[in-house]
Amino acid sequence: MMFRAGVMCACLVGLSACVATPSGPAEFVSRAQSLSEAQLELRQNAAALDSRFHEAGWVAEEHGAVVQRLTGMLMFGRGDNDRQGPVEVYLEASGLTGADSELIRAAARRDLAEATSLVHDLAVDGEQVAEAQGLTASSLNDDLGALEYAISDVRQALSLFREINDSHDAGEDDLSPQIGSLELASERLSGAADALMSRRRELRNSIGS
């Protein structure tokens, strides 16, 4: 993932580090100036997706938390034994702590449908930007940055829902079809990011030719 909001410098060999965590995809909305409507919509929707994934507990950690925790472990010997796992974070965010499996799976099924819709729509945004006119390689850097945050969010959400689904034999309550739909939407989002990278490469080559 590309961390543009702050500078992350770390010397893990010498166990000295300075870390500034990124603010997330909302940063790219605030930096949006003289953009096409398609690019602005992509960045706004990426920020909305990121906000929703965190709010709903589909993503367990804030941006940069993994790096901060690793740095703390290496520099100060701090462990993460007290850290909540992804499922615990999700259940707390959903108000389902202590709920029975049937309720949890029903909530997960609804959430998977919502997450899939958000990811699918963002993938379409990315595809539209890749085909847009008046783009610059510089502006595409930030478009890609916004998508990279979203892709990271989706990967964490998929890991969460797979863990919920694998918790025990679900029988007819299996979440695999819904997880498969989110996986397909995720693949489309990654494809849109690849298309933006190709477009950026073309623009850079045209400038250098």
Side-chain angles (χ1 to χ4, degrees), residues 2 9 19 65 78 87 90 92 101 112 115 118 140 142 153-155 164 171 173 178 183 189 191 197 200:
M2 298 155 62
C9 55
V19 178
R78 291 199 302 260
V87 174
Y90 172 67
E92 183 175 308
S101 178
L112 277 161
L118 290 170
L140 284 176
D142 285 351
D153 288 342
V154 178
R155 287 173 178 165
I164 291 173
D173 208 19
Q178 290 78 25
E183 288 172 339
L189 182 61
M197 284 190 284
R200 182 181 60 180

Side-chain angles (χ1 to χ4, degrees), residues 98-162:
D100 62 32
S101 178
E102 184 178 353
L103 286 176
I104 292 171
R105 288 179 177 276
R109 183 172 288 103
R110 292 192 300 269
D111 288 346
L112 277 161
E114 180 184 354
T116 299
S117 178
L118 290 170
V119 175
H120 172 272
D121 290 348
L122 185 58
V124 173
D125 291 336
E127 292 164 356
Q128 291 176 343
V129 170
E131 298 295 330
Q133 301 299 316
L135 302 176
T136 66
S138 177
S139 68
L140 284 176
N141 284 336
D142 285 351
D143 296 332
L144 280 164
L147 287 189
E148 286 169 355
Y149 279 112
I151 289 170
S152 175
D153 288 342
V154 178
R155 287 173 178 165
Q156 292 184 64
L158 279 168
S159 178
L160 162 72
F161 290 118
R162 288 171 185 145

Side-chain angles (χ1 to χ4, degrees), residues 66-82:
V66 174
V67 174
Q68 288 181 324
R69 188 171 67 255
L70 177 61
T71 301
M73 291 171 64
L74 290 173
M75 293 182 65
F76 310 113
R78 291 199 302 260
D80 59 354
N81 293 333
D82 296 330

